[in-house]
Amino acid sequence: MRELPQGPTPPRNGDAIETDLLLSRRAILSGAGALALLGVAGCSTSGGGDLPALQLDDTVTGSVPIRPSISVDKNITSPHVMYASLTDNGFNVPEVPYLKVKPEFRRQIVVDTTGEAPGTIVVHLKERMLYLVQPGGDAIRYGVGIGKDGFRWSGRANIQYGREWPTWTPPPEMIQRKPELVKWQGGQPGGLTNPLGARALYIYQDGKDTGYRIHGSPEWWSIGQAMSSGCVRLINQDIIDLYSRVSKKNPVVVM
């Protein structure tokens, strides 16, 4: 029994016991009041019986899980920075009027929903999106233009190699459809008007060239459209970014 403060008249034993009981009752009521305040503040407990031991949790009221923040990347920033003009290998790549590009087609980090291994390039033809899967559950997403009906390819393959400011050589069947392209049957040098844009990634399947590419395009307005001859095209600033992130042997899934 702890000693009580001394007053003018020392308490009797019964008084001390009664005072201790009173203090204990006040402590219990104070604890209950604190718990009630926690309940009002929005904290929740599971069950409804005894309170569990205090532990850190990743849930909020209503048991909605909190996902860790997506990764931060110095090249995923505001659109006016990502799509500004730049000089690359002596070529002055013009600024993209990004306000004319739908927000969903601009480069951004998203939660990965592909289920593929990190490093895999996934092209969703219906969505007009390309995903580069990242470690930790994220993906970098780019808007793309795809092939017209009858010119699309799908399947699993690999990037065999890549080229900066590649030469474009129209296939014979394209020259038949567009005779004006005969001037490039020996190859159009890389440049700002080259259909392959600033970079090209060459898709091979079982060691054979599919004839399909993931490449840049000066026609930024074609992103989100189905108007190519089968290849997957990105804004030039986006293909430069994607190209810098791949090993040139990445697996590719087009679906």
Side-chain angles (χ1 to χ4, degrees):
M1 183 71 66
R2 58 188 176 83
E3 185 176 353
L4 294 174
Q6 297 299 312
T9 304
R12 298 185 301 273
N13 287 340
D15 293 336
I17 294 172
E18 182 177 352
T19 304
D20 272 345
L21 290 175
L22 179 61
L23 290 174
S24 299
R25 184 171 178 272
R26 287 176 178 171
I28 293 170
L29 290 175
S30 297
L35 290 174
L37 287 175
L38 286 174
V40 171
C43 297
S44 63
T45 58
S46 60
D50 295 338
L51 293 174
L54 179 63
Q55 294 179 348
L56 293 179
D57 199 353
D58 62 352
T59 59
V60 295
T61 302
S63 298
V64 177
I66 298 177
R67 187 186 180 280
S69 299
I70 59 176
S71 57
V72 176
D73 189 293
K74 65 180 181 179
N75 290 330
I76 313 294
T77 180
S78 60
H80 79 274
V81 173
M82 293 190 294
Y83 298 113
S85 62
L86 60 93
T87 300
D88 181 81
N89 289 350
F91 294 102
N92 295 317
V93 181
E95 175 186 7
V96 173
Y98 66 87
L99 290 176
K100 296 182 179 180
V101 179
K102 291 182 177 180
E104 60 266 30
F105 293 136
R106 301 172 195 163
R107 187 192 324 163
Q108 56 195 279
I109 299 176
V110 298
V111 176
D112 175 49
T113 59
T114 69
E116 299 291 338
T120 304
I121 296 171
V122 181
V123 179
H124 276 279
L125 296 175
K126 186 176 181 180
E127 294 180 3
R128 314 289 205 261
M129 301 288 188
L130 181 151
Y131 298 83
L132 177 61
V133 181
Q134 301 292 290
D138 296 334
I140 301 175
R141 191 180 74 187
Y142 309 83
V144 300
I146 64 171
K148 296 174 288 188
D149 289 342
F151 290 89
R152 297 172 193 161
W153 175 88
S154 61
R156 287 183 174 267
N158 286 85
I159 299 300
Q160 186 72 12
Y161 60 92
R163 291 286 184 269
E164 300 184 14
W165 297 100
T167 298
W168 175 65
T169 304
E173 56 271 21
M174 183 178 289
I175 294 176
Q176 289 180 357
R177 296 194 306 271
K178 298 179 178 180
E180 67 273 16
L181 296 178
V182 69
K183 63 181 178 179
W184 301 125
Q185 63 182 354
Q188 179 182 357
L192 294 174
T193 61
N194 188 298
L196 293 182
R199 305 284 190 274
L201 298 168
Y202 294 76
I203 301 175
Y204 276 57
Q205 189 178 53
D206 300 325
K208 298 179 181 179
D209 189 355
T210 64
Y212 292 94
R213 319 286 184 238
I214 298 172
H215 64 83
S217 174
E219 299 175 340
W220 56 264
W221 57 88
S222 66
I223 301 306
Q225 307 296 318
M227 56 186 299
S228 77
S229 295
C231 294
V232 177
R233 58 172 65 178
L234 289 79
I235 294 172
N236 269 332
Q237 282 87 337
D238 282 346
I239 191 64
I240 290 172
D241 180 80
L242 175 63
Y243 188 93
S244 71
R245 299 175 185 274
V246 300
S247 66
K248 316 303 182 287
K249 297 292 182 181
N250 295 59
V252 178
V253 181
V254 180
M255 53 192 296

